[in-house]
Amino acid sequence: GENVEQHPSTLSVQEGDSAVIKCTYSDSASNYFPWYKQELGKRPQLIIDIRSNVGEKKDQRIAVTLNKTAKHFSLHITETQPEDSAVYFCAAQDTGRRALTFGSGTRLQVQP
Amino acid sequence: DGGITQSPKYLFRKEGQNVTLSCEQNLNHDAMYWYRQDPGQGLRLIYYSQIVNDFQKGDIAEGYSVSREKKESFPLTVTSAQKNPTAFYLCASSLQGVGNEKLFFGSGTQLSVL
């Protein structure tokens, strides 16, 4: 089955700086890669996703890049704000079973 | 999202006891999922169901059981065979097909062992 690895496990940045979280996946047939944000005490929510036929997708301060050859994808947050502080999870769609496999999460802390 | 409800919010299990976590959705979603969340381990798939009366094991199904008798409901039973049940359990649902992979999560159930 699919295996997703995520780095780093914790990330601390100053407000206004950029943050980058990286994930690798094992199943070359995976074709859907979402990112979820989980604020403290709340449920995970989808913030952005990308499909395998696209190399990059942006939504305001958030962008995701995908390198199919290397089987890795990354989340980029620019001009970070304190409300960006949360745990971020990457995931890959397992085409064999049509369920998401998640990475281990990155705790992002944005220092004011 | 208000469309998917998990109960109870907190649950305590005694040794040798089976407990059932409830998950109900009114989003008319075909697919439902159970994930377990442990610190530093992300979300791990326990069971999932793409359609009523059918479900599949995920990566950590041992010690758990599910049923899908109704489209709206996907209860998870943590059996006494699950030796380390303390965790945060998240239920999710989604539509089917390409372009409909977005998961809608419930607010979770924290299970602890007495």
Side-chain angles (χ1 to χ4, degrees):
Chain A
E2 178 66 274
N3 182 48
V4 177
E5 295 193 358
Q6 182 171 348
H7 301 280
S9 56
T10 60
L11 180 59
S12 182
V13 299
Q14 291 295 125
E15 183 176 358
D17 287 351
S18 295
V20 180
I21 303 170
K22 299 182 179 181
C23 289
T24 60
Y25 62 98
S26 61
D27 185 355
S28 57
S30 289
N31 57 8
Y32 174 68
F33 308 92
W35 287 86
Y36 283 78
K37 175 183 179 182
Q38 186 178 29
E39 297 178 36
L40 189 63
K42 297 190 176 180
R43 67 196 78 188
Q45 296 209 325
L46 178 69
I47 56 171
I48 195 167
D49 56 12
I50 192 168
R51 299 188 186 279
S52 57
N53 59 347
V54 175
E56 182 176 1
K57 183 177 179 180
K58 290 185 72 173
D59 183 3
Q60 299 183 337
R61 297 186 296 107
I62 294 173
V64 57
T65 59
L66 172 65
N67 183 326
K68 284 180 58 180
T69 303
K71 289 190 285 187
H72 68 70
F73 56 112
S74 300
L75 178 71
H76 305 254
I77 306 174
T78 59
E79 301 172 23
T80 53
Q81 301 167 5
E83 52 264 39
D84 294 328
S85 296
V87 178
Y88 292 81
F89 295 99
C90 63
Q93 179 83 320
D94 189 323
T95 54
R97 62 183 181 183
R98 293 185 291 166
L100 288 175
T101 299
F102 284 85
S104 55
T106 296
R107 182 174 298 278
L108 173 65
Q109 188 161 6
V110 180
Q111 307 284 356
Chain B
D1 291 340
I4 182 164
T5 303
Q6 287 186 244
S7 62
K9 190 171 183 179
Y10 300 97
L11 187 58
F12 298 90
R13 194 192 87 168
K14 296 179 181 178
E15 291 286 339
Q17 185 181 42
N18 293 354
V19 293
T20 298
L21 284 61
S22 171
C23 179
E24 303 276 334
Q25 54 98 1
N26 61 5
L27 300 168
N28 200 32
H29 286 172
D30 288 308
M32 297 187 74
Y33 312 82
W34 275 105
Y35 285 92
R36 170 176 170 150
Q37 185 172 18
D38 295 278
Q41 295 196 51
L43 306 175
R44 293 184 291 167
L45 183 66
I46 305 172
Y47 269 98
Y48 64 106
S49 168
Q50 300 288 342
I51 197 168
V52 175
N53 292 323
D54 189 39
F55 49 83
Q56 289 77 39
K57 293 182 178 179
D59 298 315
I60 55 166
E62 186 174 351
Y64 300 98
S65 66
V66 293
S67 63
R68 188 83 188 277
E69 297 176 1
K70 298 187 300 181
K71 187 175 185 178
E72 307 79 32
S73 179
F74 192 41
L76 173 74
T77 296
V78 184
T79 75
S80 57
Q82 173 49 245
K83 297 307 179 187
N84 184 24
T86 296
F88 190 60
Y89 291 85
L90 282 163
C91 179
S93 69
S94 72
L95 292 167
Q96 290 273 46
V98 176
N100 292 315
E101 299 93 342
K102 177 181 177 181
L103 293 184
F104 292 79
F105 283 93
S107 56
T109 293
Q110 175 65 50
L111 176 62
S112 302
V113 177
L114 289 176

